[in-house]
Amino acid sequence: MFHIKMLCTSGLLAASVVSFAQGRLDSIQRLDEVTVVADRYREVIPSQRLAGEKLEALGSFSVADAIRYFSGILIKDYGGVGGLKTVDVRSMGTNHMGVFYDGIQLGNAQNGQVDLGKFSLDNIEEISLYNGQKSEIFQPAKDFGSAGTIYLRTRRPHFAGVKTTNIKAFFRTGSFGLTNPSVLWEQKIGERVGSSFNAEYIYSSGKYKFRYRKVFQDGSVAWDTTAVRRNGDIQSLRLEGGLNGYSEQGKWHVKAYLYDSEKGIPGAIINNVWKRSQRQWDRNFFVQGSYRQQVFEGYDLLVNVKYAGDRMRYLNPDTTLMYIDNTFLQQEIYASAANRYAILPNWDISLSADYQRNILDASLRDFVYPLRHTALTSLATAFEWHRLKAQASLLGTFVFESVTRIRHGAGERLPDSQTGAPDDRREYTPAVFLSFRPFAGENDFSPLQLRAFYKRIFRMPTFNDLYYTDAGNIALHPEYAVQYNLGLQYERHFDQGLIRYVNFRTDAYYNEVTDKIIAVPKGNGQYRWMMMNIGYVEIRGIDVSGQAGWHLPCGIRVNTSVNYTFQRAQDFSDPADNDPEAGTYGGQIAYIPRHNGSAIVNMIGKSWDLNYSFIYVGERYHNSSNIRENHEQPWYTHDLTLGKTFLYRNLKCKFSAEVNNLLNQYYDVVRNYPMPGRNYKLILKVEI
């Protein structure tokens, strides 16, 4: 690996690389990787990354399974292959997290949550996590609009020599009746254009054993039994197709994505009810494109466009609870233009403008049919002087919302004055990022980096927060967050010896979340709730991570990684609620452990690889009232994967065997949603 001292923008470097190549698609792509290395050096706050053989070695089933190994990350997992999986970074809440797929954000205006369990790793080349925001000013305004971001980068076609076709096929089977075939087909269309197509099918019965246990306060056991989790089945189909190409001084890509699934919702284990009958159908579709071009020396342009349509049907046929059959249809149109200009070789500015239109239709009685227009404008600058790097940005967010209310039973459209739409919003949010390398090193690259950032951001209430029948509240304010971060990183690479690289990083942070949106009971009805702004949370934490690479005798390579997070996330919403027996004031917020961590050891030989991974989540509470009745036990899992690569009739094959939750621990990530015990998976991978 080598480092380039950037005296111009990375876009100029990319353009010069493309201009120099003058031809073959595979040559351009191999050289384009130089740009990635240069961008990393340019970053003020480096990201956490999983890519290449390290990502593949994890044997993770979905994106959600893989990012658990980042520090500061918590996954809320409701269990099983098809269970909902959302991400929370530094206790900011799921809705403050932005997830970007090939550079364009995945949205959900209805509830603000992106289910990462829907995205397979078969087509993912790299996963990156940034706290605050991606420290790159040449990006859409949307990229400045989250408290943290996850970037999923799919594979771009690579063709070696005269090869014009790549085919990669997977077949997985194992516990819970899992059947999971997938295929990736890449085709070289021209000297500068390549296509890719990925298809995946998943079936699982979702049945697994779990332990159901309750202990009274005096320590006596009320019950302790083992049962089988039911109604957790899933069938899903995912299709992705894309075109990637290069122009003389730029590049572009177009992608279409379809996800269609039906699954059971096993529900919570409460009051000795072992089986639920709820079902959910999802159909998610989007098509998006991106074009990046050097218009002239010193000026670059980036254009992104997207259309998304999501349909979700939820059915609860159990009339002993409440019969529900709701269908939701949301549509999104998005367009962005980002401009970057190099004022000086070490000073850039950028101006980005985005527009997004969201609309939601639902079968709910007396629904209001909201329409939201969002305009975002960002002005950012980046400066580099010797070993000091700085970036600053100001994001303007302008939200215009309207609703259409139809009187139930009459089909009468009410006038705008009676619809009760919320007020328009205009918010300006700044961010400042600094890094400094105190000691000069080879090529002026110091292995030690000090860094800091400040950011203020907000999130709009979701459509469900505002308009869900009998629960929405149109008077909600946005939820604001302020972030402070101080950290350091030490990184060294060695050409020879036992240790080939070390990377140590630690960050201390303080976050405030105000006007937090929460659900509170409304009256005495069990199913009557209302959304309100009454929350205030303070979060103090430390993230520590370390990676090392080893070269052992007999050509064995070992990659090791350790992550640890300490968090004190306290609820200061109501000073009057300070009863030491049951009060919530000052309590650790729900499901946030004070301690959690992970470890990975990956060994790679000539044709064998072995991967061990460990995850630990400490004790926590399912309510801000930190009393014994709300206490949740710590949990941990050990996972083991063994793989063998071999040739069969000129086909490159790999067979892997996985054991997850090796010690068969029974645990809940979310209370009353038991997770699987020990389970197995067999994987066959074939490449042509």
Side-chain angles (χ1 to χ4, degrees):
M1 182 178 179
F2 59 95
H3 304 277
I4 300 173
K5 182 179 179 181
M6 294 292 291
L7 297 178
C8 59
T9 66
S10 59
L12 294 178
L13 176 58
S16 64
V17 169
V18 174
S19 178
F20 171 79
Q22 292 291 330
R24 298 171 59 89
L25 177 64
D26 56 318
S27 299
I28 295 172
Q29 288 188 321
R30 287 200 296 269
L31 289 172
D32 194 51
E33 292 177 4
V34 176
T35 308
V36 176
V37 176
D39 282 341
R40 290 183 184 180
Y41 181 73
R42 182 77 175 187
E43 287 181 346
V44 177
I45 307 293
S47 66
Q48 299 182 66
R49 298 175 188 263
L50 279 172
E53 62 184 21
K54 295 180 184 178
L55 181 59
E56 183 178 347
L58 288 177
S60 299
F61 189 73
S62 69
V63 170
D65 297 327
I67 65 175
R68 296 182 303 168
Y69 298 100
F70 290 143
S71 62
I73 281 279
L74 286 174
I75 298 293
K76 185 170 284 188
D77 191 336
Y78 291 82
V81 174
L84 176 67
K85 297 174 177 62
T86 59
V87 62
D88 185 1
V89 176
R90 293 185 172 182
S91 304
M92 302 294 289
T94 298
N95 291 339
H96 279 285
M97 197 68 199
V99 181
F100 291 77
Y101 201 74
D102 282 339
I104 300 179
Q105 187 171 11
L106 298 169
N108 189 333
Q110 180 187 343
N111 59 29
Q113 298 181 346
V114 176
D115 184 0
L116 294 176
K118 296 179 180 179
F119 297 94
S120 169
L121 291 176
D122 291 352
N123 195 33
I124 299 294
E125 197 165 55
E126 181 180 80
I127 302 174
S128 305
L129 169 67
Y130 293 85
N131 291 300
Q133 65 194 35
K134 185 178 181 181
S135 51
E136 161 64 54
I137 65 168
F138 188 37
Q139 59 188 8
K142 265 280 190 181
D143 293 50
F144 297 93
S146 302
T149 50
I150 292 174
Y151 286 84
L152 309 177
R153 180 161 60 86
T154 60
R155 286 174 51 97
R156 283 180 173 266
H158 297 257
F159 302 100
V162 297
K163 196 174 183 182
T164 59
T165 302
N166 296 326
I167 296 178
K168 182 187 296 186
F170 291 86
F171 183 80
R172 298 178 179 87
T173 188
S175 302
F176 326 130
L178 176 66
T179 301
N180 175 212
S182 71
V183 62
L184 173 65
W185 171 31
E186 298 174 339
Q187 184 67 44
K188 185 175 182 180
I189 298 175
E191 290 299 315
R192 300 189 179 190
V193 179
S195 67
S196 64
F197 175 77
N198 185 217
E200 179 183 37
Y201 171 78
I202 297 175
Y203 169 79
S204 173
S205 68
K207 295 180 180 179
Y208 56 85
K209 291 183 179 180
F210 68 94
R211 186 178 182 183
Y212 187 48
R213 187 170 187 262
K214 182 176 181 179
V215 180
F216 291 122
Q217 293 188 31
D218 61 3
S220 62
V221 178
W223 56 73
D224 189 349
T225 187
T226 301
V228 175
R229 194 77 159 130
R230 300 183 183 277
N231 198 44
D233 61 293
I234 181 173
Q235 284 193 80
S236 70
L237 176 66
R238 178 181 57 85
L239 301 174
E240 291 185 56
L243 289 173
N244 300 273
Y246 291 85
S247 61
E248 187 64 28
Q249 292 186 318
K251 59 182 180 179
W252 56 270
H253 72 263
V254 178
K255 177 177 289 291
Y257 175 97
L258 173 66
Y259 177 85
D260 196 324
S261 72
E262 177 189 352
K263 60 186 176 183
I265 303 176
I269 305 298
I270 301 175
N271 298 327
N272 287 319
V273 178
W274 307 94
K275 180 181 177 181
R276 305 287 181 177
S277 53
Q278 292 91 337
R279 309 289 296 175
Q280 181 172 319
W281 292 261
D282 290 285
R283 180 172 295 166
N284 309 114
F285 170 78
F286 67 76
V287 57
Q288 65 183 38
S290 180
Y291 177 68
R292 177 171 174 170
Q293 180 72 33
Q294 181 190 18
V295 181
F296 55 81
E297 186 174 353
Y299 172 57
D300 297 275
L301 174 67
L302 173 64
V303 176
N304 290 328
V305 293
K306 178 180 180 180
Y307 167 78
D310 298 332
R311 183 183 185 273
M312 188 270 280
R313 180 191 174 200
Y314 171 78
L315 173 66
N316 178 17
D318 188 353
T319 55
T320 61
L321 295 174
M322 177 185 291
Y323 181 83
I324 300 174
D325 188 355
N326 292 336
T327 300
F328 300 89
L329 176 62
Q330 55 178 318
Q331 298 183 73
E332 175 183 307
I333 297 174
Y334 170 75
S336 169
N339 306 267
R340 179 178 60 183
Y341 182 70
I343 300 175
L344 296 173
N346 59 345
W347 182 19
D348 299 348
I349 61 169
S350 76
L351 178 66
S352 302
D354 295 10
Y355 168 74
Q356 182 172 306
R357 178 183 183 271
N358 293 96
I359 189 169
L360 178 66
D361 191 2
S363 61
L364 297 176
R365 175 173 174 167
D366 296 329
F367 194 61
V368 296
Y369 308 100
L371 170 63
R372 176 178 292 175
H373 300 272
T374 305
L376 303 101
T377 303
S378 65
L379 179 63
T381 186
F383 178 77
E384 185 172 343
W385 182 69
H386 294 290
R387 297 185 297 276
L388 173 67
K389 291 185 284 187
Q391 292 182 3
S393 62
L394 179 65
L395 174 67
T397 305
F398 312 95
V399 182
F400 308 95
E401 200 149 319
S402 63
V403 297
T404 301
R405 189 186 299 271
I406 299 176
R407 197 187 306 276
H408 179 69
E412 177 187 354
R413 184 182 299 272
L414 298 180
D416 292 343
S417 59
Q418 298 182 31
T419 58
D423 295 334
D424 296 337
R425 295 287 177 184
R426 294 173 175 82
E427 300 287 344
Y428 298 91
T429 48
V432 178
F433 292 74
L434 298 169
S435 73
F436 178 66
R437 296 186 182 270
F439 309 110
E442 184 180 355
N443 297 323
D444 206 22
F445 182 83
S446 167
L448 178 64
Q449 180 197 56
L450 308 177
R451 58 189 183 227
F453 76 79
Y454 159 83
K455 181 171 183 176
R456 183 174 184 268
I457 197 61
F458 79 104
R459 71 134 178 133
M460 284 293 295
T462 66
F463 284 162
N464 279 0
D465 294 337
L466 294 167
Y467 307 117
Y468 196 89
T469 305
D470 291 333
N473 178 5
I474 62 171
L476 287 176
H477 301 294
E479 185 176 303
Y480 294 87
V482 179
Q483 301 169 269
Y484 303 88
N485 187 98
L486 288 173
L488 63 86
Q489 177 168 331
Y490 181 85
E491 182 180 9
R492 285 288 303 273
H493 293 260
F494 307 94
D495 295 330
Q496 55 185 353
L498 180 65
I499 301 178
R500 292 304 175 94
Y501 73 87
V502 293
N503 188 334
F504 172 81
R505 56 191 295 163
T506 182
D507 289 271
Y509 54 89
Y510 171 73
N511 302 330
E512 293 180 346
V513 181
T514 58
D515 279 339
K516 191 167 182 64
I517 300 171
I518 63 173
V520 297
K522 179 183 178 183
N524 297 322
Q526 181 180 0
Y527 299 103
R528 296 184 65 82
W529 294 78
M530 185 174 183
M531 310 305 297
M532 294 187 68
N533 291 107
I534 62 172
Y536 172 65
V537 174
E538 292 184 2
I539 305 157
R540 299 167 179 85
I542 297 175
D543 289 342
V544 180
S545 67
Q547 293 83 37
W550 314 73
H551 276 204
L552 304 182
C554 302
I556 298 175
R557 292 177 291 130
V558 179
N559 297 307
T560 57
S561 175
V562 178
N563 295 284
Y564 167 76
T565 297
F566 168 80
Q567 288 189 89
R568 193 74 173 99
Q570 296 173 276
D571 183 353
F572 292 109
S573 300
D574 186 3
D577 193 8
N578 57 5
D579 182 356
E581 297 297 327
T584 62
Y585 187 77
Q588 187 86 347
I589 63 177
Y591 292 109
I592 302 300
R594 293 197 184 187
H595 307 277
N596 70 282
S598 66
I600 300 172
V601 179
N602 173 232
M603 301 180 62
I604 304 172
K606 294 181 179 179
S607 62
W608 292 88
D609 63 84
L610 176 67
N611 193 82
Y612 164 78
S613 56
F614 168 77
I615 292 177
Y616 170 81
V617 174
E619 62 179 1
R620 60 226 186 277
Y621 297 87
H622 61 256
N623 189 285
S624 294
S625 177
N626 294 174
I627 58 178
R628 181 171 180 174
E629 290 83 350
N630 298 332
H631 182 265
E632 298 293 327
Q633 291 289 340
W635 62 267
Y636 54 86
T637 61
H638 303 265
D639 301 329
L640 198 64
T641 303
L642 178 65
K644 166 68 174 178
T645 301
F646 59 94
L647 290 176
Y648 177 75
R649 294 183 178 179
N650 296 323
L651 300 178
K652 182 180 178 182
C653 304
K654 181 178 180 181
F655 180 78
S656 302
E658 297 181 13
V659 183
N660 299 306
N661 196 355
L662 185 65
L663 301 184
N664 197 35
Q665 186 190 44
Y666 292 104
Y667 66 99
D668 295 4
V669 176
V670 179
R671 186 189 185 208
N672 296 322
Y673 285 83
M675 298 291 290
R678 184 186 300 114
N679 59 91
Y680 308 91
K681 196 179 301 172
L682 300 176
I683 305 171
L684 177 63
K685 172 185 172 183
V686 179
E687 293 185 68
I688 301 176

